[in-house]
Amino acid sequence: MSKISKKECIAMLLAGGQGTRLGVLTSRVAKPAVPFGAKYRIIDFPISNSINSGIDTIGVLTQYRPFELHQYIGNGQPWDLDRLNGGIFVLPPYMDAKSGEWYKGTANAIYQNIDFIDNYSPDYVVILSGDHIYKMDYHDMLREHKRNNADCTIAVRDVPIEEASRFGILNLKKNSKAIEEFEEKPKHPKSTKASMGIYIFTWEKLRKYLIEDENDKTSENDFGKNIIPKMLADGQRMYAYQFDGYWKDVGTISSLWEANMDILNGSELNLDDDKWKIYARNNAEPPHYVAPTGKVVNCLVSEGTVINGAVKNSIVSNSVKIGKDAYIESSIIMPGAVIEDGADIRFSIVGWNAVIGKNCIVGETLSHCNPGEWKISVIAPNYNLPANSVVGANEMIG
């Protein structure tokens, strides 16, 4: 075996989620592999954040429907992670000489990869989720972790008090960032400091707690339910790191649609940022083409797309074909979809390689809704919607 150089900090990216709330969009792919923003996948964001933060060793823990994700990540070249010393590694569950099992929880997933982490003898480990959209410098968080001589630092953001019961909530000591109490989705939250599911641990300390947690047969092997409360109960040094930038958990159809629309707003989620690029694997496709009959207003349009109809306030991915007299408004059209002549699509998500037949009506124009409550219509990937079909608001087909 070749000798592996020591790393100060490595990242472990939890990307095995099934994403059941995304319905037909995740019936055959893991949630982090779902297309986003015309040319990206959801997983591009935490991977790009890592490399932009100076972290060049990343373990990606996969489980549910991993093929698409494995193929997409490949050798890590699009993110400059095809390296001899470090790089990106796909880490599915495996069987050793004695036994083997699926990842039972977030903590168990890291526990099963202790040997991988030990190979790099890191001082610190960043634990990330593979299904959030945000831009964040983990190096700033690590600097604060070291300044506090912390055992664990948890990224937090303020949420409205009426939404706080949906999150893990941190209660801090008075006039301090030190964590006093952690409550997992409390019915009556005491603060608005919500955990983002982004952790930095001092590896020596986390390693000890992972082993203890694995030996506890009553544990659910989860960071939020087990590891963090146990460390707090033991009086370990736990701190909050305040994050005030854009962040969205895209675990529902409504939130996935909202995050895509936020790109078009420009101010909230700016992808045109040379100082913090989001990198992605892209096919070599010709430039998009807007025909004389086509009209495009406030859209993102990716390569290889041909537009013969009208598109407004929408995200149009690569290799999409849009027919004459088609009308698309406030929608997400994923890669390879075909929208035939005369189709009318509003406030909808059309899955990759789906075909919307001639004169179909999908979705309807919606007025303002509360965040997370948009009634978005969804057409499944690879689904062929027959001509003249009508799909109402909030329907999921396929």
Side-chain angles (χ1 to χ4, degrees):
M1 299 291 289
S2 60
K3 184 177 180 181
I4 297 178
S5 298
K6 174 181 171 59
K7 299 286 184 179
E8 180 189 35
C9 181
I10 71 171
M12 299 294 282
L13 178 55
L14 299 166
Q18 184 174 352
T20 54
R21 292 179 297 167
L22 291 181
V24 294
L25 296 180
T26 50
S27 62
R28 294 186 180 275
V29 301
K31 182 164 54 171
V34 169
F36 180 85
K39 65 177 295 181
Y40 306 98
R41 306 289 185 102
I42 294 171
I43 199 171
D44 288 326
F45 287 80
I47 294 178
S48 297
N49 287 339
S50 297
I51 197 67
N52 288 334
S53 301
I55 298 173
D56 63 6
T57 305
I58 305 172
V60 181
L61 285 66
T62 62
Q63 181 157 281
Y64 171 78
R65 293 281 187 175
F67 173 73
E68 183 81 16
L69 204 54
H70 291 193
Q71 185 182 50
Y72 182 74
I73 292 170
N75 66 353
Q77 183 272 333
W79 306 274
D80 190 28
L81 288 167
D82 51 338
R83 303 177 177 219
L84 291 175
N85 180 23
I88 194 164
F89 302 85
V90 175
L91 303 171
Y94 63 90
M95 179 172 288
D96 60 23
K98 294 182 179 179
S99 64
E101 59 186 350
W102 295 112
Y103 294 145
K104 296 180 292 184
T106 53
N108 174 259
I110 303 299
Y111 169 82
Q112 288 198 41
N113 289 283
I114 281 179
D115 289 345
F116 169 80
I117 300 173
D118 281 343
N119 274 334
Y120 293 96
S121 301
D123 299 312
Y124 311 102
V125 174
V126 184
I127 309 294
L128 305 170
S129 172
D131 50 13
H132 298 157
I133 301 296
Y134 65 110
K135 296 192 292 185
M136 180 179 180
D137 190 342
Y138 305 135
H139 187 264
D140 286 347
M141 185 175 172
L142 177 59
R143 186 162 47 237
E144 194 160 312
H145 179 88
K146 291 190 285 187
R147 185 186 302 125
N148 292 325
N149 191 27
D151 298 307
C152 172
T153 300
I154 302 175
V156 302
R157 62 192 298 270
D158 287 305
V159 298
I161 189 65
E162 59 270 16
E163 296 181 22
S165 59
R166 295 169 40 211
F167 298 90
I169 295 297
L170 304 177
N171 302 315
L172 308 183
K173 295 179 181 178
K174 189 175 182 180
N175 300 321
S176 171
K177 293 183 180 179
I179 301 171
E180 186 172 53
E181 184 182 15
F182 178 85
E183 298 179 284
E184 182 70 18
K185 299 181 179 179
K187 291 184 178 180
H188 305 288
K190 301 174 187 176
S191 85
T192 59
K193 301 292 184 185
S195 169
M196 298 169 62
I198 300 169
Y199 315 116
I200 292 181
F201 289 95
T202 299
W203 173 235
E204 182 180 6
K205 190 62 62 77
L206 175 60
R207 192 181 192 280
K208 169 181 174 292
Y209 275 89
L210 288 173
I211 293 171
E212 290 180 358
D213 182 70
E214 187 64 23
N215 291 329
D216 180 0
K217 301 307 178 185
T218 65
S219 175
E220 295 182 53
N221 306 122
D222 183 82
F223 278 104
K225 296 177 181 178
N226 306 108
I227 298 291
I228 291 170
K230 184 66 167 64
M231 292 182 71
L232 271 174
D234 290 348
Q236 303 298 335
R237 296 178 63 84
M238 315 277 283
Y239 286 84
Y241 174 78
Q242 182 73 36
F243 179 72
D244 296 319
Y246 181 90
W247 178 88
K248 190 177 284 289
D249 181 345
V250 288
T252 66
I253 292 296
S254 181
S255 62
L256 177 65
W257 178 86
E258 284 177 345
N260 276 273
M261 294 302 112
D262 287 341
I263 303 173
L264 298 177
N265 296 336
S267 58
E268 289 192 89
L269 180 58
N270 178 20
L271 299 181
D272 187 18
D273 183 357
D274 288 337
K275 295 180 180 178
W276 201 269
K277 289 181 180 289
I278 302 300
Y279 301 94
R281 182 179 298 281
N282 292 293
N283 297 324
E285 307 242 16
H288 72 265
Y289 171 70
V290 181
T293 57
K295 183 179 180 180
V296 178
V297 179
N298 191 37
C299 295
L300 282 184
V301 182
S302 196
E303 302 95 333
T305 285
V306 176
I307 300 176
N308 291 285
V311 190
K312 178 182 177 182
N313 298 331
S314 294
I315 303 290
V316 184
S317 303
N318 62 286
S319 306
V320 169
K321 302 294 183 282
I322 298 174
K324 292 181 179 179
D325 298 320
Y327 178 77
I328 299 172
E329 175 191 341
S330 300
S331 294
I332 303 164
I333 312 299
M334 291 185 169
V338 176
I339 313 300
E340 296 187 345
D341 297 351
D344 188 303
I345 301 172
R346 306 174 190 233
F347 287 76
S348 298
I349 299 175
V350 177
W352 52 95
N353 301 324
V355 177
I356 307 300
K358 291 181 179 180
N359 302 314
C360 285
I361 297 175
V362 179
E364 60 186 61
T365 299
L366 302 174
S367 58
H368 176 73
C369 295
N370 293 326
E373 297 179 0
W374 291 91
K375 308 302 183 185
I376 304 302
S377 306
V378 182
I379 306 299
N382 302 301
Y383 187 78
N384 194 330
L385 186 67
N388 303 305
S389 297
V390 177
V391 178
N394 208 36
E395 285 193 54
M396 184 176 289
I397 303 297

